Amino acid sequence: MPITSEMAALQRAMCELRQRVGELRSRYGDVPPVRRLVNDVERLDIDVADLGELPTAPAPRTEGKGPEIVQVPDTPYDPKLWHDADDEGVGGYHRE
C-alpha cells in the first residue's frame, strides 16, 4: 500500500512525539505521568499502524447535494411544551 502524504506526516509527528517523551523520561524519570505518556505513545503507534493497513477510501462526492435544509416555522411553540421546564441559570421555578 502506498504511503500517503498524510500518513507520512503522521509518522514524522509520531517520531517527534516519541523523542520528546523520551526526553521527558530522561528529565523526570519513571514517574506515573511519564509512564502514562509512554503508554499513550505506544497506543498511538498501534493505531497508526492499523490505520496504515486500511485501504484509502475516495473522498465522498457531494455534487449537487448540499446539507438538507429544514424549514423552521415562525409560529410560536405550544406553551404546553414548556409547562414543566425550568429556566437555566435562574434557579428553577419549582424551588421550595
Side-chain angles (χ1 to χ4, degrees):
M1 164 185 224
I3 294 180
T4 63
S5 61
E6 293 90 355
M7 285 301 293
L10 182 58
Q11 289 170 348
R12 285 190 302 272
M14 286 302 301
C15 183
E16 179 77 17
L17 183 59
R18 259 186 251 98
Q19 290 174 349
R20 297 302 155 245
V21 170
E23 291 169 3
L24 290 172
R25 179 184 257 174
S26 296
R27 180 176 212 181
Y28 294 104
D30 194 33
V31 295
V34 173
R35 285 197 307 263
R36 286 192 300 268
L37 286 171
V38 169
N39 185 47
D40 291 344
V41 170
E42 290 171 356
R43 291 177 58 214
L44 284 171
D45 276 333
I46 292 168
D47 291 339
V48 169
D50 289 347
L51 188 61
E53 294 173 3
L54 296 176
T56 56
R61 292 186 170 204
T62 57
E63 293 174 9
K65 286 187 175 182
E68 181 182 350
I69 297 175
V70 177
Q71 296 292 330
V72 178
D74 289 335
T75 57
Y77 288 109
D78 182 359
K80 294 178 200 168
L81 180 67
W82 309 109
H83 175 67
D84 285 338
D86 289 339
D87 285 346
E88 292 181 16
V90 177
Y93 292 124
H94 304 293
R95 273 199 172 186
E96 293 182 26

